[in-house]
């Protein structure tokens, strides 16, 4: 056992793979990592959006390539990892950020929809770990960041399977982190509170009103502020930029409340 770590590789030779990169936290994380000098492979199902993101990153001086991926399909994940490796070499960073949101009471949600939410938020992350982490272990280095949620321990009503999926994800990440001790591979969870993304914007007015009313009823509406995706991306960047020998295992980012004019 050595108490010393080899120096961190230069970011230019630390390829980063980001799923869910077509919008929200995934897109912001890809831009943040590219700004730090990482070659970034952006993945999502909406290929046209990925091309626009790659153009944006390149215009800003970064290096990026796009590869469509469906994280609910093992074959698609394997193709994504293979394409990323061919483009920039072995993955050094993985950011798992893919997700969708379907709102409903637990017992009213269609079982197929419930299973689909578990798939995209939990099983898909395992597919990525299974495809990428063994190589990181062999090389004795790598950074994995999964996007969790504060609903993992503060369940919000009408969130369908999202609460169960994120609770499972955070527990799986905690287990995997313990199992990775001594390998040189670091795994952390960036845990958002409310974030202004596309998730939830497609709800019809009746659903949105029911969700908001229930959240306020149970104490989840203390103030109207929400985080921006860039706020979470800063957390992702900090996690993978830690010097060797230290790691950020969990990072929760919550929106700051507006400053009250009369605070007494």
């Amino acid at each position: 056992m050595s108490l010393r770590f080899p120096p961190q590789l230069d970011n230019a030779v630390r390829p980063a793979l980001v799923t869910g990169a077509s919008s929200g936290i995934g897109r912001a994380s890809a831009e943040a990592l590219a700004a730090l000098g990482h070659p970034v492979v952006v993945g999502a199902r909406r290929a046209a959006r990925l091309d626009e993101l790659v153009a944006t990153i390149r215009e800003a001086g970064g290096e990026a390539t796009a590869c469509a991926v469906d994280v609910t399909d093992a074959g698609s994940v394997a193709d994504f990892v293979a394409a990323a490796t061919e483009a920039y070499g072995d993955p050094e960073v993985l950011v798992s950020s893919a997700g969708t949101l379907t709102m409903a009471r637990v017992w009213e949600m269609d079982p197929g929809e419930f299973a689909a939410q578990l798939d995209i938020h939990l099983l898909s992350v395992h597919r990525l770990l299974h495809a990428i982490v063994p190589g990181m272990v062999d090389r004795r280095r790598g950074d994995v960041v999964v996007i969790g949620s504060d609903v993992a321990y503060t369940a919000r009503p009408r969130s369908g399977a999202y609460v169960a999926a994120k609770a499972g994800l955070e527990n799986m990440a905690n287990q995997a982190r313990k199992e990775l001790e001594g390998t040189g591979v670091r795994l952390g969870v960036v845990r958002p509170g409310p974030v202004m993304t596309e998730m939830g914007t497609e709800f019809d007015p009746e659903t949105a009103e029911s969700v908001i009313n229930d959240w306020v009823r149970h104490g989840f509406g203390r103030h109207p502020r929400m985080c921006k995706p860039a706020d979470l991306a800063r957390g992702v960047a900090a996690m993978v930029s830690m010097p060797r020998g230290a790691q950020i295992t969990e990072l929760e980012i919550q929106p700051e409340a507006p400053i009250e004019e009369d605070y007494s």
Side-chain angles (χ1 to χ4, degrees), residues 58-104:
R58 290 177 178 174
E59 288 171 5
E63 189 173 1
T65 191
C67 182
V69 62
D70 179 357
V71 294
T72 66
D73 180 82
S76 181
V77 169
D79 290 343
F80 172 66
V81 176
T85 303
E86 182 177 355
Y88 295 129
D90 293 323
E92 294 284 333
V93 176
L94 167 66
V95 179
S96 175
S97 183
T100 61
L101 184 58
T102 302
M103 306 299 278

Side-chain angles (χ1 to χ4, degrees), residues 63-142:
E63 189 173 1
T65 191
C67 182
V69 62
D70 179 357
V71 294
T72 66
D73 180 82
S76 181
V77 169
D79 290 343
F80 172 66
V81 176
T85 303
E86 182 177 355
Y88 295 129
D90 293 323
E92 294 284 333
V93 176
L94 167 66
V95 179
S96 175
S97 183
T100 61
L101 184 58
T102 302
M103 306 299 278
R105 293 188 178 102
V106 169
W107 69 91
E108 292 176 343
M109 193 169 198
D110 177 81
E113 291 184 353
F114 196 94
Q117 286 281 285
L118 292 177
D119 195 352
I120 195 167
H121 290 289
L122 175 58
L123 300 183
S124 68
V125 181
H126 177 263
R127 291 185 189 97
L128 290 164
L129 298 182
H130 182 70
I132 296 172
V133 169
M136 290 181 169
V137 171
D138 287 344
R139 295 186 296 276
R140 289 293 191 264
R141 63 179 185 271

Side-chain angles (χ1 to χ4, degrees), residues 182-205:
T183 67
V185 180
R186 306 182 295 192
L187 188 152
V189 176
V190 171
R191 183 184 303 122
V195 185
M196 183 61 70
T197 70
E198 291 183 4
M199 285 177 58
T201 58
E202 72 279 7
F203 299 153
D204 61 82

Side-chain angles (χ1 to χ4, degrees), residues 151-237:
V151 304
Y153 61 89
T154 54
R156 294 180 189 167
R158 296 181 185 265
S159 296
Y162 189 71
V163 172
K166 288 298 186 180
L169 172 63
E170 293 224 11
N171 276 283
M172 181 178 72
N174 188 24
Q175 175 186 338
R177 184 186 308 118
K178 292 179 171 64
E179 294 166 346
L180 286 168
E181 280 192 357
T183 67
V185 180
R186 306 182 295 192
L187 188 152
V189 176
V190 171
R191 183 184 303 122
V195 185
M196 183 61 70
T197 70
E198 291 183 4
M199 285 177 58
T201 58
E202 72 279 7
F203 299 153
D204 61 82
E206 182 179 353
T207 299
E209 181 179 3
S210 298
V211 169
I212 291 172
N213 286 341
D214 257 11
W215 285 7
V216 170
R217 175 187 174 194
H218 289 277
F220 296 111
R222 298 188 312 279
H223 63 78
R225 283 271 295 114
M226 300 182 79
C227 290
K228 299 176 182 178
D231 298 326
L232 280 300
R234 292 185 185 96
V236 171

